[in-house]
Amino acid sequence: MLSAIDHVGVAVPDIDAALALYRDTLGMELVHRETVNDQGVDAALLDVGDAHIELLAPLAPDTVVGKFLNNRGPGLHHVAYRVDSVQEALDACVAAGLRLIDERPRTGIRGSQVAFLHPASTGGVLTEIVQPAEED
């Protein structure tokens, strides 16, 4: 079902400061930056090998990432796995008895389809499944 690690999400309080570290100091290429209002984040994707680091800065303190930062501080937020079909992956997760956060796919960064699995069902790790958007 899971074909590859798509990205590792990192919660940061200041995306520009984080870009100074990941892009300027560590040399990762910034490939996309987008404000995702539905999720309340400013997001940036940086290439690392065949996967990405996704930096997530909250648009407000009452967003999911804002609350995460308030409770846990900056750091690893989630691990995302690439799939061919988010809906098929969700159906398989339900059949396996996993607890879902999203019962159906929603739109993520760069027009991808995404859904999250509850960390209580995935060993304490917030898990995202990602179906990349079709490229033109």
Side-chain angles (χ1 to χ4, degrees), residues 12-105:
V12 299
D14 179 329
I15 202 158
D16 292 317
L19 283 170
L21 171 63
Y22 285 87
R23 180 191 58 208
D24 304 337
T25 303
L26 298 176
M28 294 180 191
E29 180 185 359
L30 174 65
V31 293
H32 186 76
R33 186 167 175 180
E34 177 180 344
T35 299
V36 186
N37 288 313
D38 289 351
Q39 296 181 26
V41 295
D42 188 7
L45 283 177
L46 298 108
D47 275 351
V48 58
D50 292 331
H52 308 285
I53 295 295
E54 180 183 45
L55 303 176
L56 300 162
L59 297 177
D62 63 343
T63 63
V64 170
V65 173
K67 292 174 185 175
F68 178 92
L69 285 170
N70 185 51
N71 292 331
R72 298 191 181 154
L76 177 65
H77 183 262
H78 66 272
V79 177
Y81 298 93
R82 196 170 307 131
V83 298
D84 291 331
S85 167
V86 172
Q87 188 58 60
E88 288 177 14
L90 285 173
D91 293 344
C93 289
V94 167
L98 298 179
R99 185 173 163 195
L100 308 180
I101 292 175
D102 297 304
E103 294 184 8
R104 24 181 203 279

